[in-house]
Amino acid sequence: MKCCFFNEFPGPILSVLLFVMVSCGRNQDAEQKREKKISESIAVLGALPKSVTDPPDNPTNAKKVELGRFLFYDPVLSGNRDVACATCHQPEFNYAEFLETSIGVNGTGSDSKRQFRLPNTIPFVKRNSQSVLNTAFNGIQNQVDYDPRLAPMFWDLRAKSLEEQALLPIKTLEEMRGHSFAEEAVLDEIIARIRRIPEYQTLFSEAFSGEANPVHAKNMAKAIAAYERTLVANNSRFDQYMRGDSNALSLSEKDGLNLFLRTGCAKCHNGPMLSDFKLHTLGVPDTQNRKESDTGINNDYAFRTPTLRNLRYTAPYMHSGKFVTLEHVLQFYEDISGGKILNPHVSASQMDPLATQMNVNFRDISGIVEFLNTLNDDTFDKTVLTRVPSGLKVKGNMD
């Protein structure tokens, strides 16, 4: 029997119908090719290792970790003795904090109630406080030997290794140094203070046994780094799934994972930390906490891809802390793929094509967020000290 469907239409209408059908077929082909180009395989992701790799010149030991924990919580490391590492990296916020950008020196209060003391001449910290959790794995990639001495740190990659990273906030004006000491002099001052505290003398001697004079800046950095390498959350349901437990994720979470891969998120958010640890220009809006626009380390508005692990606890997001929810972040990427640039200082030619070629749609956002929540692991160490060897307030002026 012959099909007589097209015989029902006059010639002109038939031509239009044929044109529409061919066009639809071409559009579908183009969309499929585009999705195929964007989509990544799940193989670009990965589970975190079950153990941490120490650098050869800083093997861990219990005494070194104990010393590092004390130093992390002790405001004696700051110029005015009013702020510690833990002021901006709090266990209850995944070792980050719930502020757009931090208030370090001359601050008081905690969480959203933290504010500057008056009078004040200290600016806000330049960028959003990144989590210390899992920084032991910074830079890790699939099928590549991991070297913790090369681990990229900060939003602009200006430091490598936790050891190098540990000393930079101490020397930064708005983070820990303040106006009392010059950048080139503050570390000598901090070490001189620590040498005058008998308990620290003992702790350094036990952590670095064999050294005649162990209290110095290099060992201080090693101790802080050793402690930070104990702050890991490497058994999320996603990790369990990637290790072979197919039931670790629900069907809807697996759908969200597929959306994550199909929309192009994994182009930059890949590897076990779901970050390529590279700089990308996205046109993220600046924080209003600073007068100057943040152009990044190369003056091109490029910032490092953040990890997607434990996002439930680390809002707000991006280097400027401008997005309060994950939905806002994904809507931002939808805007980018639609040609919008939210930072007026960034031109279209500067935008990273990996972002502009993404295919994020509003209908996909809830599914992707559902997948991102499988990356949360709440089993990390949340211990907060009740005292520090200096006798100062733990975490500094937080009340």
Side-chain angles (χ1 to χ4, degrees), residues 21-64:
M21 291 177 70
V22 170
S23 297
C24 287
R26 288 174 179 170
N27 289 339
Q28 285 182 337
D29 289 343
E31 184 65 22
Q32 288 173 355
K33 288 179 180 179
R34 183 168 185 262
E35 285 200 3
K36 187 175 181 181
K37 181 180 179 182
I38 291 173
S39 184
E40 293 288 330
S41 162
I42 193 173
V44 304
L45 308 180
L48 282 173
K50 293 184 178 181
S51 60
V52 169
T53 301
D54 297 325
D57 63 342
N58 191 23
T60 192
N61 64 60
K63 291 295 184 180
K64 194 182 295 184

Side-chain angles (χ1 to χ4, degrees), residues 83-122:
V83 62
C85 304
T87 308
C88 299
H89 299 285
Q90 303 169 31
E92 58 268 40
F93 294 107
N94 198 86
Y95 290 91
E97 65 174 335
F98 188 64
L99 287 177
E100 187 171 301
T101 59
S102 298
I103 294 174
V105 176
N106 201 38
T108 183
S110 61
D111 308 335
S112 60
K113 296 180 180 179
R114 188 163 175 79
Q115 58 188 343
F116 284 110
R117 295 175 180 269
L118 297 177
N120 179 60
T121 57
I122 299 290

Side-chain angles (χ1 to χ4, degrees), residues 31-32 34-36 38-39 259 262-265 330 333-334 336-338 354-364 368:
E31 184 65 22
Q32 288 173 355
R34 183 168 185 262
E35 285 200 3
K36 187 175 181 181
I38 291 173
S39 184
L259 287 171
R262 195 172 71 220
T263 54
C265 299
L330 287 163
Y333 282 109
E334 182 184 29
I336 291 177
S337 62
L354 289 177
T356 58
Q357 293 174 10
M358 290 177 66
N359 188 26
V360 179
N361 295 301
F362 182 78
R363 66 178 181 271
D364 299 330
I368 295 174

Side-chain angles (χ1 to χ4, degrees), residues 305-317:
T305 306
T307 179
L308 299 182
R309 289 182 170 275
N310 276 36
L311 293 176
R312 176 186 294 157
Y313 313 103
T314 58
Y317 307 107

Side-chain angles (χ1 to χ4, degrees), residues 157-176:
L157 307 180
R158 68 184 182 276
K160 291 181 179 179
S161 82
L162 280 168
E163 285 76 9
E164 183 178 349
Q165 177 273 334
L167 300 181
L168 293 185
I170 298 173
K171 297 191 288 184
T172 302
L173 168 70
E174 63 269 34
E175 294 189 38
M176 297 180 73

Side-chain angles (χ1 to χ4, degrees), residues 117-388:
R117 295 175 180 269
L118 297 177
N120 179 60
T121 57
I122 299 290
F124 280 85
V125 173
K126 193 171 186 178
R127 295 174 188 141
N128 179 259
S129 175
Q130 286 192 310
S131 172
V132 178
L133 195 69
N134 285 330
T135 47
F137 302 116
N138 269 21
I140 192 169
Q141 297 295 336
N142 291 328
Q143 288 81 52
V144 178
D145 289 337
Y146 182 63
D147 188 345
R149 295 169 297 182
L150 303 178
M153 298 289 161
F154 296 111
W155 283 106
D156 57 9
L157 307 180
R158 68 184 182 276
K160 291 181 179 179
S161 82
L162 280 168
E163 285 76 9
E164 183 178 349
Q165 177 273 334
L167 300 181
L168 293 185
I170 298 173
K171 297 191 288 184
T172 302
L173 168 70
E174 63 269 34
E175 294 189 38
M176 297 180 73
R177 173 167 60 89
H179 289 301
S180 299
F181 301 95
E183 182 177 350
E184 60 273 14
V186 69
L187 279 178
D188 289 339
E189 165 64 20
I190 301 305
I191 294 301
R193 292 177 189 173
I194 290 175
R195 285 174 177 162
R196 292 194 291 267
I197 301 173
E199 186 177 357
Y200 270 130
Q201 288 276 11
T202 300
L203 288 166
F204 270 86
S205 295
E206 292 176 343
F208 300 95
S209 58
E211 290 191 32
N213 299 294
V215 185
H216 51 76
K218 187 174 181 180
N219 278 350
M220 181 170 69
K222 285 184 175 181
I224 295 172
Y227 165 62
E228 291 177 336
R229 288 195 178 94
T230 69
L231 303 177
V232 297
N234 55 355
N235 195 34
S236 67
R237 288 192 295 115
F238 172 74
D239 290 307
Q240 296 167 29
Y241 179 74
M242 294 300 290
R243 292 175 190 141
D245 183 359
S246 61
N247 296 319
L249 303 187
S250 68
L251 288 176
S252 59
E253 289 166 344
K254 292 174 184 176
D255 288 340
L257 168 57
N258 289 329
L259 287 171
F260 179 85
L261 296 167
R262 195 172 71 220
T263 54
C265 299
K267 289 287 186 182
C268 299
H269 293 284
N270 50 52
M273 281 286 278
L274 285 91
S275 171
D276 61 5
F277 292 95
K278 296 178 181 178
L279 302 175
H280 299 278
T281 301
L282 306 177
V284 177
D286 284 315
T287 177
Q288 299 306 303
N289 290 338
R290 303 274 293 217
K291 293 180 180 179
E292 74 278 12
S293 179
D294 188 356
T295 63
I297 197 167
N298 297 320
N299 295 318
D300 58 0
Y301 289 88
F303 299 93
R304 194 197 87 190
T305 306
T307 179
L308 299 182
R309 289 182 170 275
N310 276 36
L311 293 176
R312 176 186 294 157
Y313 313 103
T314 58
Y317 307 107
M318 313 303 270
H319 75 275
S320 58
K322 290 303 293 182
F323 301 130
V324 178
T325 69
L326 293 176
E327 286 80 5
H328 290 158
V329 175
L330 287 163
Q331 287 165 13
F332 165 74
Y333 282 109
E334 182 184 29
D335 287 341
I336 291 177
S337 62
K340 294 182 181 178
I341 302 176
L342 274 66
N343 190 319
H345 303 288
V346 177
S347 66
S349 62
Q350 290 176 289
M351 293 288 288
D352 195 309
L354 289 177
T356 58
Q357 293 174 10
M358 290 177 66
N359 188 26
V360 179
N361 295 301
F362 182 78
R363 66 178 181 271
D364 299 330
I365 288 176
S366 62
I368 295 174
V369 170
E370 188 170 4
F371 159 66
L372 293 177
N373 282 325
T374 71
L375 294 160
N376 298 319
D377 175 7
D378 192 40
T379 62
F380 57 90
D381 179 10
K382 306 178 188 68
T383 305
V384 177
L385 296 178
T386 57
R387 56 168 291 276
V388 287

